[in-house]
């Protein structure tokens, strides 16, 4: 938000509707909860989810609709993850 000011392309004015869910970081005390949540959201095995969380910042899911992205972001933040929609 704010990037739409540069240039005069009509697309720039349209609201973004598809987002990637990106894990930016997490509270060290909440690491296990974050791994479990990432595992559920991304449909990964335990090892893969752990590697993904430990290699943050990392995109967890791509091309999500706004509502779904917001819902998953809230779920992850509830367990101590730092998440952004990109």
């Amino acid at each position: 938000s704010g990037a739409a000011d540069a240039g005069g392309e009509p697309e720039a004015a349209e609201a973004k509707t598809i987002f990637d869910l990106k894990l930016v970081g997490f509270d060290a005390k909440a690491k296990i909860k974050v791994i479990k949540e990432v595992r559920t959201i991304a449909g990964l095995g335990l090892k893969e989810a752990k590697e993904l969380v430990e290699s943050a910042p990392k995109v967890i899911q791509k091309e999500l609709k706004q509502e779904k992205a917001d819902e998953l972001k809230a779920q992850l933040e509830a367990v101590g993850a730092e998440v952004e929609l990109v």
Side-chain angles (χ1 to χ4, degrees), residues 20-84:
D20 289 351
L21 184 69
K22 183 177 184 182
L23 178 67
V24 183
F26 55 91
D27 182 345
K29 294 189 289 287
K31 183 176 177 183
I32 290 168
K33 286 183 194 164
V34 173
I35 290 170
K36 284 181 182 173
E37 200 62 46
V38 165
R39 182 180 177 196
T40 303
I41 289 170
L44 297 171
L46 187 58
K47 182 174 182 277
E48 292 82 0
K50 183 175 184 282
E51 286 170 1
L52 193 152
V53 169
E54 288 173 345
S55 61
K58 197 91 168 169
V59 172
I60 301 170
Q61 283 217 307
K62 293 184 174 165
E63 298 177 11
L64 296 167
K65 287 191 170 22
Q66 173 91 52
E67 308 83 61
K68 187 68 176 168
D70 286 339
E71 183 187 315
L72 296 178
K73 182 176 190 268
Q75 284 177 355
L76 284 160
E77 287 174 341
V79 295
E82 193 182 322
V83 184
E84 63 184 28

Side-chain angles (χ1 to χ4, degrees), residues 3-14:
D5 307 328
E9 297 110 41
E11 308 108 66
E14 286 178 30

